[in-house]
Amino acid sequence: MTRYIAFLRGINVGGHRVRMAHLRELFEELGFENVSSFIASGNVSFTADTSASEEVRQRIEAHLGTRLGYDVPVFLRTPAELAEVTAFRVPGEATQGTSDPAHYVIFLHEEVTPALRSALADLESETDRFHFAATEVHWLVQGKLSESPLFGTGIERATKGFRTTMRNLNTLRRIAAREA
């Protein structure tokens, strides 16, 4: 049995509303156990009888697409992988600026490519900085996310061609603590 955390893109945004109780039921329909959700933005923990994460991801995406009627990209991490994501420390993070930057994690299915690194590096400014892990991008925003020139379409253009979803690091830390 393998424990997973699924981060779903497009849940309860853009006119797609799904009650968390219904979302948990959809995961249970797939035979997953110990299903729980965390806040209404598409974070679902569950246990599967396989460690084949790519197979699990594809099963979830197909099932949600059929049952909800629209494409729902799914990003899976095990509790250990999520612990690594939340333990990531940006070099010099504690000494940057006068206030702590907002820290977001952009999840990808595949490893960060040189092209994506380059595209995001070109967008760096005093407001926005990027740091890269294997399948995540850590985005530090000085000030509020909504005040970043990359908020919304800017980051979407930079990551075009990559399936992504994003979460605030504080949210991820709370999920990781629940799963520890």
Side-chain angles (χ1 to χ4, degrees):
M1 300 297 276
T2 303
R3 188 80 177 151
Y4 292 102
I5 301 100
F7 300 100
L8 312 178
R9 181 180 173 107
I11 295 294
N12 293 335
V13 296
H16 296 138
R17 300 284 176 224
V18 181
R19 290 181 350 270
M20 291 303 99
H22 181 59
L23 189 59
R24 289 190 300 272
E25 290 170 4
L26 293 172
F27 273 71
E28 289 167 351
E29 288 173 3
L30 288 165
F32 300 139
E33 298 176 358
N34 304 312
V35 178
S36 66
S37 57
F38 182 78
I39 65 176
S41 60
N43 308 303
V44 181
S45 302
F46 62 97
T47 303
D49 61 2
T50 179
S51 61
S53 62
E54 184 61 18
E55 175 189 314
V56 171
R57 181 185 68 78
Q58 289 175 4
R59 281 180 56 209
I60 296 167
E61 285 183 349
H63 186 65
L64 294 178
T66 298
R67 298 283 275 124
L68 297 175
Y70 57 91
D71 183 39
V72 180
V74 176
F75 301 83
L76 293 180
R77 300 297 186 269
T78 64
E81 290 168 336
L82 185 58
E84 269 187 51
V85 169
T86 61
F88 181 86
R89 295 292 178 258
V90 175
E93 182 176 28
T95 60
Q96 298 292 325
T98 56
S99 63
D100 290 336
H103 189 149
Y104 296 87
V105 177
I106 301 169
F107 290 98
L108 299 116
H109 287 153
E110 62 276 343
E111 290 206 9
V112 175
T113 65
L116 182 58
R117 283 178 188 265
S118 177
L120 292 174
D122 288 346
L123 297 174
E124 285 196 345
S125 66
E126 288 184 23
T127 304
D128 300 287
R129 291 181 297 129
F130 299 96
H131 298 274
F132 305 93
T135 56
E136 296 86 27
V137 176
H138 293 262
W139 178 17
L140 279 68
V141 180
Q142 199 64 43
K144 294 179 182 177
L145 178 63
S146 60
E147 295 171 354
S148 165
L150 301 179
F151 178 68
T153 59
I155 199 70
E156 292 294 324
R157 278 193 301 271
T159 59
K160 186 176 182 177
F162 294 91
R163 295 184 84 171
T164 66
T165 195
M166 182 173 69
R167 299 294 187 276
N168 181 290
L169 184 62
N170 292 330
T171 298
L172 296 174
R173 286 180 175 151
R174 289 169 44 206
I175 294 170
R178 284 178 44 163
E179 296 297 322

